[in-house]
Amino acid sequence: MSESSESEIYRPYPEAVAGSWAENWEEIEARAKADPYTYWEERASELVWSQRWDQVVDDSNKPFYKWFVGGKTNIVTNAVDRHVTGPHKNKLALIWESEDGKTVRTFSYFSLNREVEKMSNIIRAMGVNKGDRVTIYLPRIPEVFFAMLACAKLGAVHSVVFAGFSADALSSRIDDSESKLVITADGSWINGSVFPLKDIVDEAVRFSPTVENVIVVKRTGTEVTMDPTRDHWYHDLENLPISRGRCETVQLDAEDPLYILYTSGSTGKPKAILHTHGGYMVGTYTTLKYTFDIREDDRFWCTADAGWVTGHSYLVYGPLLNGATTFMYEGGPTFPHPDRWWRLIEHYGITTFYTAPTAIRSLMRFGDAWATRHDLSSLRLLGSVGEPINPAAWHWFYDVIGGGKAPLMDTWWQTETGMFQIAGVPAMPQKPGSGGRPVFGQEAEILDEAGNPVPDGQEGFLTLKNPWPAMARTIYGDDQRFVDTYWSTYPGRYTTGDAAKRDADGYFWVIGRTDDVIKVSGHRLGTAEVESAINSHPAVSESAAIGLPHEVKGNAIHAFVVLNQGHTGNRELTEEIRAHVSTHLSPIAKPDEITFTDSLPKTRSGKIMRRVLRARALGQDEGDLSTLED
Ligand code: WT7
């Protein structure tokens, strides 16, 4: 990966700007900077509220900010209802294609609403009420939209768990959230084979004290065990009278919770990030609208799974809030051939394509011909998220996929931020590898260890200065951890955990995590969870996981493992431990390499010094070893 150049600038957009808001983007940016609260208030006013707020921001109890205080709405009022009664009634809200390519399901806003009402009626009849938690463990099928929106409609709090997590991981998330309902499918399709979702749910809920019902969507036709006291086929429920009729969207306080989403931290168990109806709605609506310049005839494709925040904000909520057409594809990018994504773009006339650098790097390897045989001229805008995009991937995406005419929006944000934080607008000149500037209304600053701003061009810790509407409100059930993790390093500032620098034009260049979080193929993993999965293998005494640069995945996990007496580190055991991590955490967390060792470098207080392992593995200077135990 070559170094990116701060002076390489692209300005592909001017012809598309004429006559639209984008002509005046610098003015909008300047006004938002001068008065962010008014800027956000104006954006909120573009949406429907059953009661207007009394106060834009209540910051009397920092960092527990409240937005649009006193306002009443529901994200579904704006993502679905207002379109059904307006000009978008018959517009396509969702287009879905199955992995085998044989089934296409499309939903207008009208028919999406019917599906959401049906699912809300059903889950309400099962006793799901405002404030109750519901775990959704579904593959990329339209029902994941219905389930999320149905919960939101009733004011229930959804907790979507990526349908690639193991039973252990699912079970701890169900228990932590005390979900009373789980919505899943019999199985999911992955590269032509079935992943047994229902079996995993069975294992996960076996000892769960809170789960009363499990709804199962039939997708793969796989044989599953149904517990008659707990499990229900969705297609049976759909035929019951309870599913029929209108279902009112419950009007909620702006600050009522919309969802929790688990994400990895540097220590301990995954954190349940909590987002709310009002602010999250305004934030995702606005950032998608501006950064991707959403237009009436767009077909927006975000390749993320609904199990991650990107799927929440920019596959489901953001596009629907904007009355756009969102596209979802069920399967893998190379199934059955490496041109599947390009074929879909051509076939559906995708205009805006938002994906991750790791996907671009993996598809690049198959050569240009897979892409160039398709007519990709519908593409108007490209987007990247999840990790820094290296220049080679940027150029391939921009030149070969975008044909050198579609601005590539690099969006930096996090599960906790809910919405883009550093991302340009299409008319802002592009620099490959930089997301540009903070979004309108936000200011970012790079600080040194002591909290002083560092000069431009120098690396430091990325912090955010202003509160923003879609900010996480807390870690569900652990306010103190929320304060400690994000707001204590630099009082009054949100700490991102990332290293970055700013150039002379005010563009931000994100370098990567500064903590024990590893981004593998854009997925966020904590060393602690990976190690705890490894350590649960009976042969293992202790372990340390680190991320090392990988050409396609960005980072790959290398694990250093100390075995219990009587075990020998060999090929078989390596494979066994890798498989163990796969089934006890997730296939995405599987270490690429395992090194058996007699001991791990530790501080005198017993903390594993992963940076020493990293430096050794990379052949770099090991730095200050004064705290090393031996
Ligand atoms: C971490 C957050 C919310 C997006 C999906 C990931 C890294 C994310 C970029 C980018 C460089 C990026 C950061 C961040 N990251 N986007 N455009 N350029 N790094 O959300 O799983 O919560 O991970 O992803 O390190 O802290 P997440």
Side-chain angles (χ1 to χ4, degrees), residues 263 309-310 384-389 410-416 496 498 510 512-513 519 522-524:
T263 190
V309 76
T310 311
S384 174
V385 63
E387 52 178 325
I389 183 163
D410 185 354
T411 62
W412 179 93
W413 57 298
Q414 307 177 305
T415 306
E416 294 85 343
T496 65
D498 279 18
V510 173
R513 300 290 310 188
K519 289 255 112 181
H523 299 313
R524 176 167 164 180

Side-chain angles (χ1 to χ4, degrees), residues 371-388:
T372 53
R373 70 165 66 149
H374 296 283
D375 174 8
L376 304 179
S377 60
S378 60
L379 287 173
R380 195 169 68 73
L381 282 170
L382 307 172
S384 174
V385 63
E387 52 178 325

Side-chain angles (χ1 to χ4, degrees), residues 174-292:
I174 291 172
D175 289 346
D176 184 76
S177 62
E178 300 174 302
S179 292
K180 49 157 59 164
L181 171 67
V182 177
I183 305 176
T184 188
D186 52 352
S188 64
W189 287 110
I190 295 179
N191 298 324
S193 41
V194 171
F195 186 70
L197 294 182
K198 175 63 166 61
D199 293 353
I200 292 172
V201 170
D202 288 346
E203 206 183 317
V205 301
R206 187 167 308 148
F207 304 109
S208 174
T210 57
V211 173
E212 295 163 8
N213 291 292
V214 175
I215 295 178
V216 188
V217 176
K218 194 182 197 106
R219 173 63 198 122
T220 52
T222 321
E223 188 91 36
V224 296
T225 318
M226 297 291 279
D227 173 344
T229 64
R230 188 197 65 196
D231 302 344
H232 317 267
W233 284 110
Y234 188 58
H235 57 261
D236 289 339
L237 298 169
E238 274 183 312
N239 288 323
L240 298 178
I242 49 146
S243 76
R244 284 179 217 128
R246 303 304 313 274
C247 178
E248 284 303 311
T249 301
V250 177
Q251 290 304 294
L252 303 165
D253 284 337
E255 283 293 313
D256 276 335
L258 168 63
Y259 68 80
I260 51 183
L261 183 59
Y262 289 85
T263 190
S264 301
S266 39
T267 53
K269 58 174 192 171
K271 297 176 286 204
I273 301 301
L274 182 101
H275 285 290
T276 56
H277 272 258
Y280 179 82
M281 167 180 90
V282 174
T284 54
Y285 157 77
T286 304
T287 46
L288 187 66
K289 173 176 158 165
Y290 284 148
T291 293
F292 286 106

